[in-house]
Amino acid sequence: MQQEAKHKKTLHLKIAFVVIFSTFSPFILGLFIHLTPLFILLVAAVSASCSIAILLWVLRPLGNLIESTKTFSDGNLNHRIDIRSGDEFEEAGNSFNLMAEKLSKTIQSMESERAIAIAEKNKFDEILSSIIDGIIALDFNKNIIFLNKASEQLTGYNQTEVQGKSIDQVIHLFSDTDEILSKTYCRENFNQTAKLIGKMGKQTKVKTITTQVSTTVQTNLSCIIILHDLSREEELEQMKLDFVSMASHELKTPLTSIVGYLSVFLEENQKNISKESFNLLNKAFTAAKQLQTLITNLLNVNKIEREQLSVSPEPTDHLAILAKVVDDLRSLATQKSIVLNLSHPAQTLPKVLADPIRLSEVVTNLVANAINYTNPGGKVEIAVKVSPVEVETVVSDTGIGIPKEAIPHLFNKFFRVSNTEQKANKGTGLGLYISKSIIEKLHGKIWVESEPGKGSKFLFTLPVVTQSSGILDSRQFTSQAFQSGTLNY
Ligand SMILES: Nc1ncnc2c1ncn2[C@@H]1O[C@H](COP(=O)(O)OP(=O)(O)OP(=O)(O)O)[C@@H](O)[C@H]1O
Ligand SMILES: [Mg+2]
């Protein structure tokens, strides 16, 4: 501080000396040496010139200061001033150097922060553009802020074309029937499969997942839409279905011949061949029939997945179907020492509106399951209950039962209860899945009641044929069958 004060005084003193010297020197000289006025004027002129020279010399650092400021402001941040005048100019120079030092440090750190921010942004952009799902970010007015590369491909628009435009003008998402607008899908945890229509009517099936980002206005980011392209997956799924269908059909024909020939041979030659040969051929016959059931199941699943499982409903004698199935499975029950019983209802059973072949498949699976999952000595009972609108069928057994946690998955494709008791039985886990699809196609319901160790009850309903509903429902079923494809089995 003392140094600074000294500097200030020095400049003042220098200027004061110059002023005093230039003003009084001619007069003092004139006073002591008796000079002529002309000579005094000459001395005054010389003294003024000396004063100007001294002033210029004193103020010389000012030019240096101005020059340095310009150089610094032109971007040369390393430029520093070297003034050693010992006055305010030296102080100003030192202050300038201090300021330049701090400023260049601040600018350098800002630049490195900027470089980091740019690198981060580039990394983020790279990540977003390499994501195979489409990502669209919207602001609070549902206008597009950002569109990644995958979205550009899905929608057909590029970022510059749509930036700032309302999302509802750019892409159109359709559920089966209606258009889904942004006010519907821009909300927390929206997750739906939809048809996306983009530029020039470009259509893609997508899974749309939306999340609300933030409620703060500063970010102006309201909603992120993720579009997952399903077309490739659908293509693969279609290829898989085609392969299963083709392979099953190719296997079905020779297998039908094998089962047929073996059945005829065994029937005609039971007495002509040895017991050992008969047993061996009978085992081959049973295995071939199991394979046939598996292939039929695979074909059925294939049709369900293609939405081509069709039914041909007609007024059906439900009791006759139940009796036929019980008859067919009687030997299986007897082999396991299981009592198989069909209880006839007290009143006459009205006809149900059902497809006899499909209904028979359902009942066969339920009764076969009941026998398979009941230990020897148990009981399987089939009963029917009638109401004015429907017939309810109950297949109950005294078998091993089903754990509570497995019940919600029981009608899923390939689901099998995984405990050791159940694993002892062979199966593919398709029977109940197919049964459910058939019963629902026939406008019925199917469900289960069971407890481990206490047996199981499988129940399903079918609509009864009334005078008016029979014709009406038949039409409804027929049109449904035609819509979904050919009436094939
Ligand atoms: N009556 C029953 N008692 C106990 N468990 C059962 C019964 N019925 C079905 N289940 C369980 O449900 C699973 C699915 O049955 P589903 O009929 O779909 O397949 P599966 O019998 O294993 O094979 P398949 O495709 O040959 O019918 C069975 O694996 C079994 O674990
Ligand atoms: Mg089964």
Side-chain angles (χ1 to χ4, degrees):
M1 282 301 278
Q2 265 185 352
Q3 187 70 17
E4 280 171 26
K6 193 178 149 202
H7 285 161
K8 273 179 199 162
K9 272 179 203 154
T10 315
L11 186 64
H12 291 156
L13 284 172
K14 281 176 183 171
I15 292 169
F17 169 75
V18 171
V19 170
I20 292 164
F21 174 77
S22 63
T23 314
F24 295 108
S25 60
F27 298 103
I28 293 168
L29 213 67
L31 211 64
F32 287 105
I33 317 162
H34 298 281
L35 297 174
T36 61
L38 187 70
F39 199 74
I40 289 177
L41 265 177
L42 194 70
V43 170
V46 170
S47 126
S49 307
C50 286
S51 303
I52 289 167
I54 293 167
L55 260 180
L56 284 177
W57 176 77
V58 168
L59 294 176
R60 192 171 42 95
L62 192 61
N64 189 358
L65 206 59
I66 293 167
E67 201 54 44
S68 297
T69 317
K70 272 189 191 157
T71 315
F72 190 80
S73 66
D74 284 347
N76 187 354
L77 301 181
N78 294 324
H79 182 77
R80 299 288 179 270
I81 301 174
D82 185 18
I83 302 174
R84 290 164 203 267
S85 56
D87 56 20
E88 287 91 331
F89 287 119
E90 188 176 331
E91 189 192 339
N94 290 341
S95 300
F96 174 90
N97 287 344
L98 206 67
M99 179 205 73
E101 194 63 36
K102 283 187 181 167
L103 210 60
S104 67
K105 269 189 190 154
T106 312
I107 290 172
Q108 268 168 16
S109 86
M110 274 168 69
E111 268 176 1
S112 69
E113 273 170 22
R114 193 166 158 262
I116 292 169
I118 290 172
E120 285 297 313
K121 188 186 173 292
N122 290 345
K123 199 167 39 171
F124 187 63
D125 284 352
E126 205 53 48
I127 292 170
L128 284 177
S129 58
S130 58
I131 290 175
I132 52 164
D133 284 338
I135 296 175
I136 301 176
L138 304 184
D139 67 13
F140 279 92
N141 297 319
K142 309 274 186 320
N143 294 332
I144 297 172
I145 306 173
F146 171 81
L147 196 78
N148 75 341
K149 263 195 193 132
S151 315
E152 289 184 341
Q153 277 160 10
L154 279 170
T155 60
Y157 293 102
N158 62 43
Q159 167 99 20
T160 39
E161 258 178 295
V162 293
Q163 180 117 28
K165 284 195 182 157
S166 162
I167 184 78
D168 288 326
Q169 288 170 5
V170 176
I171 61 164
H172 302 276
L173 286 170
F174 285 88
S175 65
D176 285 341
T177 45
D178 307 312
E179 178 165 5
I180 318 167
L181 293 170
S182 58
K183 64 174 185 250
T184 312
Y185 62 75
C186 265
R187 60 180 163 77
E188 200 55 48
N189 299 329
F190 178 87
N191 186 339
Q192 198 174 311
T193 301
K195 189 164 70 184
L196 169 83
I197 301 187
K199 194 177 184 180
M200 317 272 279
K202 187 175 188 279
Q203 289 188 18
T204 322
K205 195 167 179 189
V206 290
K207 187 170 192 182
T208 312
I209 304 162
T210 322
T211 34
Q212 251 172 343
V213 180
S214 156
T215 47
T216 55
V217 189
Q218 290 97 314
T219 56
N220 199 16
L221 187 64
S222 72
C223 160
I224 298 273
I225 307 162
I226 299 168
L227 301 168
H228 179 66
D229 187 352
L230 292 174
S231 48
R232 180 74 191 134
E233 281 161 37
E234 280 202 336
E235 213 176 285
L236 287 174
E237 183 63 23
Q238 196 56 41
M239 279 163 71
K240 191 185 84 188
L241 288 176
D242 288 348
F243 173 76
V244 172
S245 169
M246 188 266 290
S248 308
H249 275 293
E250 290 297 317
L251 287 169
K252 196 179 172 184
T253 321
L255 205 59
T256 311
S257 308
I258 295 171
V259 171
Y261 290 136
L262 276 175
S263 160
V264 173
F265 183 85
L266 285 171
E267 230 175 77
E268 287 180 359
N269 296 288
Q270 194 173 359
K271 288 180 189 135
N272 306 335
I273 55 173
S274 67
K275 203 175 172 199
E276 210 173 71
S277 305
F278 180 82
N279 283 344
L280 283 174
L281 284 169
N282 201 27
K283 275 185 184 161
F285 176 65
T286 313
K289 272 186 77 173
Q290 276 170 356
L291 204 56
Q292 207 177 25
T293 312
L294 174 65
I295 286 167
T296 311
N297 279 349
L298 282 176
L299 279 169
N300 278 337
V301 169
N302 201 271
K303 280 174 199 151
I304 294 169
E305 312 247 292
R306 287 169 187 263
E307 296 180 3
Q308 281 180 0
L309 184 92
S310 52
V311 289
S312 304
E314 57 186 67
T316 303
D317 184 349
H318 188 44
L319 213 52
I321 296 210
L322 294 179
K324 167 90 174 54
V325 172
V326 167
D327 220 31
D328 290 347
L329 293 174
R330 172 103 30 223
S331 64
L332 184 69
T334 315
Q335 273 168 32
K336 275 190 84 179
S337 312
I338 286 170
V339 178
L340 179 60
N341 192 20
L342 168 64
S343 40
H344 290 259
Q347 74 267 52
T348 338
L349 209 63
K351 292 212 164 178
V352 293
L353 197 60
D355 177 327
I357 299 173
R358 292 287 187 208
L359 178 57
S360 173
E361 278 176 30
V362 174
V363 180
T364 303
N365 181 52
L366 295 184
V367 178
N369 278 353
I371 297 170
N372 285 336
Y373 300 105
T374 298
N375 290 326
K379 197 174 170 190
V380 172
E381 181 129 19
I382 300 125
V384 272
K385 272 197 262 171
V386 191
S387 82
V389 285
E390 61 187 19
V391 166
E392 185 182 288
T393 309
V394 188
V395 179
S396 47
D397 63 59
T398 57
I400 54 181
I402 300 160
K404 202 175 160 196
E405 60 278 9
I407 288 182
H409 312 286
L410 218 57
F411 295 93
N412 291 353
K413 196 171 49 172
F414 295 117
F415 180 82
R416 301 199 69 226
V417 179
S418 56
N419 60 26
T420 37
E421 250 185 325
Q422 296 259 9
K423 280 258 163 98
N425 292 290
K426 288 197 180 78
T428 49
L430 292 175
L432 289 177
Y433 172 71
I434 296 167
S435 301
K436 186 171 192 275
S437 302
I438 293 173
I439 293 295
E440 284 177 355
K441 277 247 160 193
L442 292 169
H443 295 267
K445 278 181 289 175
I446 183 164
W447 70 102
V448 59
E449 292 165 8
S450 181
E451 254 183 75
K454 290 193 178 168
S456 310
K457 266 187 189 176
F458 281 83
L459 306 97
F460 70 89
T461 59
L462 285 171
V464 298
V465 182
T466 55
Q467 273 188 345
S468 56
S469 78
I471 303 156
L472 262 175
D473 283 1
S474 292
R475 279 195 197 139
Q476 188 186 333
F477 278 112
T478 314
S479 70
Q480 185 185 314
F482 277 119
Q483 269 168 20
S484 60
T486 49
L487 286 163
N488 52 1
Y489 283 96

